[in-house]
Amino acid sequence: MIPTPEVPAGIPVGCNGNLIITFRDYQVFIEKIAGIKDTFAIEDVSERILGELNPIVAEAILNGQQCIGVNALLGLQMNSRKLSKQIEEELDKELFDIGLGVADFTIQNFNYPEEVQRMAEKVAGQAFVGDVNRYATIAMADGMEKDGGNMGAMGAQMAMGMQMASQMAGAMGQQAAPQQPAQPAAPAQPQQAAAPSGDRFCPNCRKMVNGKFCPDCGTPTV
């Protein structure tokens, strides 16, 4: 468990590699571990070796630091050879008391557990989507591969991508445009009454005309 500023409780980190154990003093090993057993396999003492190994690995990785950055995996991978030699020397000293020694210790790689790796990939994906144009381009390319070059699906994806870009551009333009001060409304002008076109009403044309008969239709006016 590696404590980080983001996760004080620690992020689980594993390492894979090779550990070669040798007999330094088989008589001491028989006296302290094997006893009167006729045969003794490495599996019978593996828990003892791992019990000595775990704190040594943690001490070598943290190197006295309270916590390290969340990108610790890259730094650990870069220093894997140095860490391997340091762990080999410390473990060899610890196993000396039971007649064993370390012939070789090599760290091949460091890794996060699967669930932590999925979280890291999700965070990286969210950061990648920040570039909408790039995301739309990749999405269209993926769609072409999945649809076998289906032009209809590609056109729909292109339209969706262009719509997303247009909406974002419009939103950014609205945020960037300075707001103009509101102008006071002009006072309403009094409306002048329309001058009458005549003093008599035509019931057929329904308008005011001059004379006893409508000049347009000849209907008697009132």
Side-chain angles (χ1 to χ4, degrees), residues 135-184:
Y135 174 77
T137 303
I138 298 299
M140 286 189 290
D142 291 343
M144 291 175 62
E145 292 180 0
K146 292 179 181 179
D147 297 329
N150 188 321
M151 297 303 294
M154 183 180 69
Q157 291 175 355
M158 291 180 63
M160 182 181 66
M162 293 176 64
Q163 183 179 6
M164 290 173 58
S166 177
Q167 290 176 352
M168 290 193 63
M172 294 176 63
Q174 290 179 0
Q175 294 178 358
Q179 296 183 354
Q180 298 294 335
Q183 298 293 336

Side-chain angles (χ1 to χ4, degrees), residues 46-205:
S46 60
E47 292 186 4
R48 176 72 177 269
I49 295 173
L50 292 177
E52 300 286 354
L53 177 62
N54 287 336
I56 294 175
V57 172
E59 182 180 354
I61 289 176
L62 292 175
N63 196 23
Q65 300 183 44
Q66 295 295 328
C67 61
I68 56 181
V70 73
N71 293 325
L73 215 60
L74 180 60
L76 293 175
Q77 193 68 42
M78 292 174 60
N79 296 318
S80 60
R81 290 187 60 187
K82 180 180 178 181
L83 291 172
S84 296
K85 293 300 180 183
Q86 180 179 348
I87 294 171
E88 178 181 339
E89 294 175 1
E90 294 295 327
L91 183 60
D92 185 72
K93 294 177 184 178
E94 295 295 332
L95 297 182
F96 178 79
D97 292 338
I98 59 174
L100 297 177
V102 180
D104 184 59
F105 182 85
T106 304
I107 297 176
Q108 294 179 339
N109 62 76
F110 289 89
N111 55 77
Y112 292 128
E114 184 177 353
E115 60 274 11
V116 178
Q117 185 63 36
R118 286 198 301 264
M119 292 175 60
E121 292 174 355
K122 183 176 181 180
V123 172
Q126 291 174 346
F128 178 78
V129 173
D131 188 344
V132 177
N133 292 332
R134 187 177 182 186
Y135 174 77
T137 303
I138 298 299
M140 286 189 290
D142 291 343
M144 291 175 62
E145 292 180 0
K146 292 179 181 179
D147 297 329
N150 188 321
M151 297 303 294
M154 183 180 69
Q157 291 175 355
M158 291 180 63
M160 182 181 66
M162 293 176 64
Q163 183 179 6
M164 290 173 58
S166 177
Q167 290 176 352
M168 290 193 63
M172 294 176 63
Q174 290 179 0
Q175 294 178 358
Q179 296 183 354
Q180 298 294 335
Q183 298 293 336
Q189 297 293 333
Q191 295 183 355
Q192 297 181 357
S197 59
D199 55 356
R200 299 181 69 87
F201 178 73
C202 174
N204 185 37
C205 297

